[in-house]
Amino acid sequence: MKRPALPATAPPKSSRTRHAKDVPARTRTRPEGGKPRTSGQEEQADRRHEILEIAAELFAERGYSATSIRDIAERAGLLAGSLYYHIRSKEALFVEIHNTALAAAARRIHNALEGVTDPWARLQAACLEMLEIQLNSGSLTLPIMNNLRSVPTSVRDVLIQQRDDFEKIFRGLVADLPLDRNIDKNLYRILLLSLLNSADGWFREGRLSREEIAVQILRIFRHQSPSP
């Protein structure tokens, strides 16, 4: 997903936009089943969270290849060598951000499906939530996902596995549809996701709302088996 580029230089920390839903949640004061953290541990956890936010912004703004450890460290106010106190590598950092953002998108869709039982209504709810994710200018989820071609092969393999897990949501939704038996469900799912994943390229505010577009998508894709 393309999005307006973030500022080339970060605004002051007090005004810099947070994207908490797209990066790991802050560490709890008392880890589940563990001892309370000290103030030093809290500070370290907060600092790492801030670094994840900064890295996510840079990856979305510049892409994976054009973002260096030095860039991340500079925006975070650290020396490049000091950044490794908080992260293992650029590759590991990108995988963590990518997977966390994708998991957040999956949770949003699962929440949208809660309590909906009709197969077509479930698909429509999932389509609407995907549109909301894609068209949210403040979200880093899809810009991060679109860096797939620029990452090293070893990293790409890990990311593809996570994306395959995400697509299982739509595999299940399509599998439950009473589609005409001559329709290939795999191709149906691919075409549907291709449409949703490119929404930022064709959506224009004003003519149809996102809810209306989700309804139209279902009307176009509703190839139901004829009644016996």
Side-chain angles (χ1 to χ4, degrees):
M1 169 182 174
K2 298 178 181 177
R3 71 193 288 267
L6 297 170
T9 56
K13 291 179 183 177
S14 60
S15 64
R16 184 167 59 80
T17 302
R18 298 288 186 180
H19 299 278
K21 67 184 177 181
D22 291 319
V23 293
R26 292 188 183 277
T27 310
R28 299 176 183 174
T29 301
R30 181 188 294 271
E32 190 172 348
K35 297 179 180 179
R37 285 190 170 86
T38 65
S39 59
Q41 289 172 322
E42 283 293 312
E43 184 177 351
Q44 181 180 341
D46 286 348
R47 187 56 165 149
R48 187 173 190 278
H49 182 86
E50 183 181 20
I51 289 169
L52 290 174
E53 289 181 332
I54 290 169
E57 290 174 355
L58 284 169
F59 284 135
E61 172 190 338
R62 304 178 183 180
Y64 177 85
S65 297
T67 301
S68 68
I69 287 292
R70 184 181 298 277
D71 294 331
I72 298 169
E74 181 178 336
R75 187 170 287 191
L78 295 170
L79 295 174
S82 301
L83 193 63
Y84 288 105
Y85 178 75
H86 301 279
I87 66 171
R88 288 191 293 114
S89 65
K90 172 182 166 180
E91 291 81 4
L93 181 62
F94 185 81
V95 168
E96 180 177 354
I97 293 170
H98 174 279
N99 289 353
T100 303
L102 204 57
R107 285 194 300 272
R108 287 184 57 173
I109 295 173
H110 283 304
N111 289 340
L113 296 176
E114 190 172 351
V116 184
T117 57
D118 177 76
W120 291 109
R122 285 173 62 80
L123 185 63
Q124 181 173 317
C127 288
L128 175 57
E129 197 60 37
M130 277 290 286
L131 287 173
E132 295 289 356
I133 293 169
Q134 286 278 12
L135 300 174
N136 177 7
S137 61
S139 173
L140 297 177
T141 301
L142 275 302
I144 291 294
M145 289 176 62
N146 278 349
N147 275 278
L148 184 63
R149 293 182 179 178
S150 64
V151 301
T153 302
S154 58
V155 176
R156 190 181 307 141
D157 291 342
V158 176
L159 302 185
I160 287 174
Q161 178 59 54
Q162 185 72 6
R163 294 184 190 202
D164 287 345
D165 290 341
F166 176 80
E167 286 196 11
K168 285 179 182 178
I169 300 172
F170 283 87
R171 287 181 187 274
L173 291 170
V174 173
D176 291 339
L177 297 176
L179 293 172
D180 186 291
R181 63 182 180 180
N182 293 318
I183 292 177
D184 185 290
K185 291 188 174 183
N186 284 331
L187 184 57
Y188 181 100
R189 172 182 51 81
I190 291 169
L191 291 173
L192 178 62
L193 284 174
S194 296
L195 175 65
L196 295 171
N197 287 335
S198 61
D200 67 307
W202 51 259
F203 177 79
R204 297 293 182 272
E205 294 282 1
R207 199 172 73 83
L208 292 174
S209 69
R210 297 171 189 184
E211 292 83 358
E212 290 170 332
I213 289 175
V215 170
Q216 286 294 321
I217 289 174
L218 258 291
R219 287 177 180 169
I220 294 168
F221 276 80
R222 188 160 181 160
H223 299 279
Q224 193 164 352
S225 296
S227 301

